[in-house]
Amino acid sequence: MFSGGALGVVAWRRTSAGRTPYWNVGAQLRPSRGRGIGTAAQRLLVDYLFAHSPVVRLEADTETGNVAEQRSLEKAGFTREGVMRAVGFRDGQWRDAVRYAVIRGDTARPDMAEGPESGRA
């Protein structure tokens, strides 16, 4: 199912609210909608960052029109926090974005077993 090279990249950058650091995460994947790859990649990244850093919060942002990414973030355990108006400029237009976050210990986080190979992603 995943043959043919790299499917994309996930990345994170440190940011902070005052003196409290946290990570802002993102993913850029080859088109492959409906296979659960984005969800699985983001779940793995969440687990990795919580296992290897002391941060309590991870954030992710996506344009309001990117419904597939919003669903992927929610399936990966992120909670929608709000809309940031005119936060990005692309294709000659200011774009709104949705902010998502997951907090260490969130009980609402789905289990990692619900990845693409399970058929439930």
Side-chain angles (χ1 to χ4, degrees), residues 77-100:
F78 285 78
T79 299
R80 182 182 174 119
E81 293 190 327
V83 174
M84 301 177 292
R85 299 182 315 148
V87 71
F89 191 80
R90 184 175 61 79
D91 297 333
Q93 290 184 320
W94 285 99
R95 309 283 178 140
D96 296 347
V98 184
R99 163 89 21 110
Y100 283 84

Side-chain angles (χ1 to χ4, degrees), residues 16-38:
S16 66
R19 299 173 84 182
T20 306
Y22 56 93
W23 299 112
N24 185 284
V25 302
Q28 187 165 9
L29 305 173
R30 289 182 8 203
S32 60
R33 293 184 187 214
R35 296 194 321 177
I37 295 166

Side-chain angles (χ1 to χ4, degrees), residues 37-119:
I37 295 166
T39 301
Q42 291 176 115
R43 284 179 181 160
L44 289 169
L45 182 59
V46 166
D47 287 348
Y48 174 82
L49 291 173
F50 281 148
H52 297 284
S53 72
V55 299
V56 175
R57 175 185 176 84
L58 305 177
E59 287 183 349
D61 306 316
T62 189
E63 288 186 5
T64 54
N66 193 344
V67 177
E69 173 62 3
Q70 292 174 45
R71 287 192 66 222
S72 178
L73 287 167
E74 290 167 1
K75 287 180 179 181
F78 285 78
T79 299
R80 182 182 174 119
E81 293 190 327
V83 174
M84 301 177 292
R85 299 182 315 148
V87 71
F89 191 80
R90 184 175 61 79
D91 297 333
Q93 290 184 320
W94 285 99
R95 309 283 178 140
D96 296 347
V98 184
R99 163 89 21 110
Y100 283 84
V102 61
I103 307 301
R104 183 185 297 274
D106 271 355
T107 56
R109 263 196 76 224
D111 185 73
M112 280 296 298
E114 293 185 24
E117 58 279 344
S118 71

Side-chain angles (χ1 to χ4, degrees), residues 1-16:
M1 178 177 200
F2 298 116
S3 63
L7 298 172
V9 64
V10 292
W12 60 97
R13 65 180 175 85
R14 184 182 172 169
T15 189
S16 66

